[in-house]
Amino acid sequence: MKPFIKQAFVVAGAALNIVGHGCAHGYPAVLFTQLRSDGGPVTLTDHDTSWIASVVGLMGIVGNFISPVLMTRFGRQKAHIISTIPALLGWIVFVIGNSVPAFLLARLLHGLALGLRTPLAAILVAEYTEPKYRGAFLGTFAISLGLGILLSHVWGAHLTWKMTATVCSMFPLIAMAIISLSPESPSWLVSKSKFDEARKAFRWLRGNADDQNEELEAMIEAQKREIVTKHNTIKVVKRFKWKRVLQPAIDTLKNVIKIFKKKEFYKPSIIAISMLLVFEFGGAHMVPAYGNLILQAVLDKKDPKDVTWQFTIIDLLRTICALLAIFLLKWFKRRTILFTSGIMTVFSLSTVSVFVYLRKAEVLTNSWLLDVVPMCLMILYTLTFCLGLVPLNWVICGEVFPLAYRSMGSTLSTSFLTPAFLVSMKTAPHLYTSIGVEGAFLVYSAILTIGLLIMYVLLPETKDRTLQDIEESFKGKNNVDLETQTNLIERENITVK
């Protein structure tokens, strides 16, 4: 089996897991529409719907902090399997539940699964795949998310909400089966100094070519340097026996402060946080959940049924753009895609806002313009946002963190995503009511602009570069000579098994 196929097999497990999360993001629109149209077993208030839509973010925060512990202690593979369990349980609760508390419990379980998966998925693909395929594989996450949203909406149009939940539960089950057949991450094995196992897993995934071996050995040597550093730190600590009681707490605090001061940690963290905020407030989750409300306001329609086909077009475009984004990630540099997509997204959101303001002021009265232009602007927004900012969220967050701090950095950055998700989803209906969709779009444009400016200053180009090379670029120095480092290890009399 060719290395590419093996890598694709591993990525398929992560992708199917994310399809399931896409279904979870699109499912509230199905649930709310059916319960309101047919009466259903539950009557939902606006307060109920806003909490059901946004409560995912609460348990997502918990999952964000549990995920790195699982990744570090048990490995990427086992942590990935664990992340599928609450997703499956959430769908089961939807199938058997008939009350608001049951719906909230199901969404909390989905939030836990999302929180566990968010720090893990991008890291997993970045560590399992080689640089020339990494961007394309990470780009499949956007396809998977869009596909899940589309499928949940399509199934919800033809099936009951309980049957829709049953069908959606297939994805975590299939993902669990694929992940269980995948090897452990070579990077994690290296971080645990299991170098022989790492070589075996790496060569199974990537082959035995010279450039592949060079990347593997560079990663191993980097870990050996970390071992030297830790060994020297331990020797210094042992000199101060009288501090043994307080020393663990003091050491932890000093290590955290020391890590936060390192360029290779704080720069990627700021970049990842900015990217996640741009992703969230750009509409990644708000449009699937509140798309009917947004389109009604932009297109000036009174009934949700009047925007059904427009909503379907937006869903289709999201999935198609995610597919096309794979080729863009292969052909163009990350920074080129990021800032082209970012500028056009801000432009389209601002233009939609200006158009709605002009229509309300009765400056624009031509019926043809009022019918055609707003939908064209929403299509432009969907194209620009989904072709660049959506797939790059996975790519950039998966590429920028160094191996030594990958779990910690991923946790820190993604801990901003779930609160941002909660804030954006909970406040969106209130913003639409108070300042209108057009006002909300201006607020989101401002947030995107700030995030893009930060990344313009800090983000290096990462396309087709090894993770070790990207780490060294943040440090601002070249790799240490391997022979010199080997001599240093021998002088310290460290035996690495």
Side-chain angles (χ1 to χ4, degrees):
M1 188 183 297
K2 294 182 178 180
F4 175 81
I5 297 176
K6 294 178 180 178
Q7 294 169 42
F9 177 78
V10 174
V11 173
L16 284 171
N17 202 9
I18 293 174
V19 172
H21 290 305
C23 290
H25 287 311
Y27 188 74
V30 176
L31 180 68
F32 300 157
T33 300
Q34 291 194 18
L35 289 179
R36 285 176 174 174
S37 62
D38 60 17
V42 183
T43 299
L44 298 178
T45 65
D46 290 340
H47 184 71
D48 293 333
T49 57
S50 66
W51 273 114
I52 292 171
S54 62
V55 76
V56 170
L58 293 177
M59 283 301 291
I61 298 173
V62 177
N64 283 163
F65 286 95
I66 296 176
S67 183
V69 176
L70 297 177
M71 281 192 285
T72 302
R73 182 166 183 176
F74 300 109
R76 315 315 195 205
Q77 182 202 32
K78 290 184 178 64
H80 200 188
I81 291 175
I82 292 172
S83 73
T84 64
I85 296 174
L88 178 60
L89 292 176
W91 292 120
I92 292 174
V93 173
F94 269 126
V95 172
I96 64 177
N98 286 302
S99 64
V100 171
F103 299 155
L104 291 173
L105 174 60
R107 294 289 285 171
L108 286 170
L109 287 168
H110 282 163
L112 177 60
L114 176 66
L116 291 172
R117 188 265 302 161
T118 301
L120 171 64
I123 289 176
L124 185 145
V125 175
E127 292 181 352
Y128 275 84
T129 61
E130 54 190 298
K132 63 181 179 180
Y133 301 132
R134 189 173 60 227
F137 280 136
L138 286 168
T140 61
F141 288 172
I143 299 176
S144 302
L145 189 66
L147 181 61
I149 294 169
L150 173 63
L151 289 175
S152 65
H153 289 165
V154 171
W155 289 332
H158 299 90
L159 302 174
T160 65
W161 56 274
K162 284 185 177 290
M163 186 57 66
T164 301
T166 302
V167 177
C168 290
S169 67
M170 294 188 305
F171 293 111
L173 279 173
I174 299 173
M176 190 183 298
I178 294 176
I179 297 165
S180 64
L181 298 174
S182 303
E184 183 51 78
S185 162
S187 296
W188 180 79
L189 293 170
V190 167
S191 71
K192 297 300 181 182
S193 298
K194 299 180 179 181
F195 300 135
D196 290 338
E197 293 179 44
R199 289 186 176 97
K200 182 178 179 180
F202 189 91
R203 287 165 183 162
W204 185 89
L205 285 163
R206 307 276 292 276
N208 199 28
D210 291 340
D211 56 341
Q212 308 295 354
N213 287 328
E214 182 179 345
E215 179 183 347
L216 173 62
E217 294 305 321
M219 185 164 53
I220 290 174
E221 291 302 325
Q223 178 62 19
K224 290 179 179 179
R225 292 197 295 271
E226 286 293 323
I227 294 173
V228 171
T229 302
K230 290 180 181 178
H231 177 73
N232 291 335
T233 302
I234 291 172
K235 288 199 302 182
V236 172
V237 169
K238 286 181 178 179
R239 297 174 187 173
F240 301 93
K241 296 181 180 181
W242 60 274
K243 291 185 177 180
R244 285 183 179 178
V245 176
L246 298 176
Q247 198 62 50
I250 295 172
D251 288 344
T252 300
L253 180 60
K254 286 182 177 180
N255 287 336
V256 170
I257 294 173
K258 185 177 179 181
I259 290 171
F260 271 77
K261 288 182 177 180
K262 292 184 177 183
K263 293 180 180 179
E264 63 269 30
F265 180 80
Y266 74 76
K267 285 187 176 181
S269 296
I270 294 172
I271 291 168
I273 291 169
S274 300
M275 188 69 243
L276 289 167
L277 292 176
V278 166
F279 173 77
E280 186 58 48
F281 286 95
H285 298 124
M286 286 182 286
V287 173
Y290 300 117
N292 286 328
L293 292 175
I294 293 172
L295 288 173
Q296 281 180 253
V298 173
L299 303 180
D300 195 24
K301 303 295 184 181
K302 303 300 181 183
D303 194 320
K305 295 180 180 179
D306 295 335
V307 296
T308 300
W309 69 268
Q310 293 95 329
F311 199 14
T312 302
I313 288 176
I314 297 298
D315 282 342
L316 286 171
L317 284 176
R318 185 187 294 110
T319 306
I320 293 170
C321 286
L323 178 61
L324 294 176
I326 293 180
F327 299 98
L328 291 179
L329 291 169
K330 181 66 177 176
W331 295 333
F332 296 98
K333 294 181 178 180
R334 306 285 191 257
R335 285 177 61 91
T336 301
I337 299 173
L338 173 64
F339 296 114
T340 301
S341 173
I343 291 171
M344 290 302 297
T345 300
V346 171
F347 170 78
S348 58
L349 286 173
S350 301
T351 306
V352 169
S353 179
V354 171
F355 180 89
V356 175
Y357 277 123
L358 292 176
R359 186 187 66 208
K360 288 186 175 182
E362 298 185 353
V363 175
L364 300 175
T365 57
N366 185 288
S367 60
W368 183 84
L369 286 176
L370 296 178
D371 288 337
V372 176
V373 172
M375 188 59 193
C376 289
L377 291 175
M378 287 302 298
I379 290 175
L380 175 64
Y381 155 73
T382 304
L383 290 173
T384 55
F385 182 63
C386 295
L387 279 173
L389 296 182
V390 172
L392 279 175
N393 173 65
W394 308 106
V395 174
I396 290 176
C397 292
E399 290 181 338
V400 294
F401 285 109
L403 175 60
Y405 314 120
R406 197 162 291 157
S407 295
M408 182 186 295
S410 180
T411 300
L412 175 66
S413 58
T414 53
S415 66
F416 283 80
L417 177 61
T418 43
F421 174 90
L422 180 62
V423 170
S424 64
M425 295 289 281
K426 185 64 178 173
T427 60
H430 302 291
L431 284 176
Y432 301 158
T433 302
S434 59
I435 61 177
V437 170
E438 63 276 16
F441 275 17
L442 289 180
V443 173
Y444 302 148
S445 296
I447 295 174
L448 264 62
T449 300
I450 295 171
L452 290 169
L453 287 174
I454 293 172
M455 287 186 285
Y456 183 82
V457 175
L458 296 178
L459 179 66
E461 183 54 57
T462 60
K463 184 178 184 295
D464 295 335
R465 297 174 66 182
T466 67
L467 299 180
Q468 188 63 38
D469 187 26
I470 295 170
E471 176 181 343
E472 296 298 337
S473 71
F474 281 116
K475 292 179 180 178
K477 62 181 181 180
N478 295 324
N479 289 331
V480 177
D481 181 75
L482 299 183
E483 182 177 352
T484 302
Q485 187 60 39
T486 301
N487 293 335
L488 177 61
I489 294 173
E490 291 176 352
R491 288 199 301 270
E492 295 292 340
N493 295 320
I494 297 175
T495 303
V496 181
K497 297 182 180 181

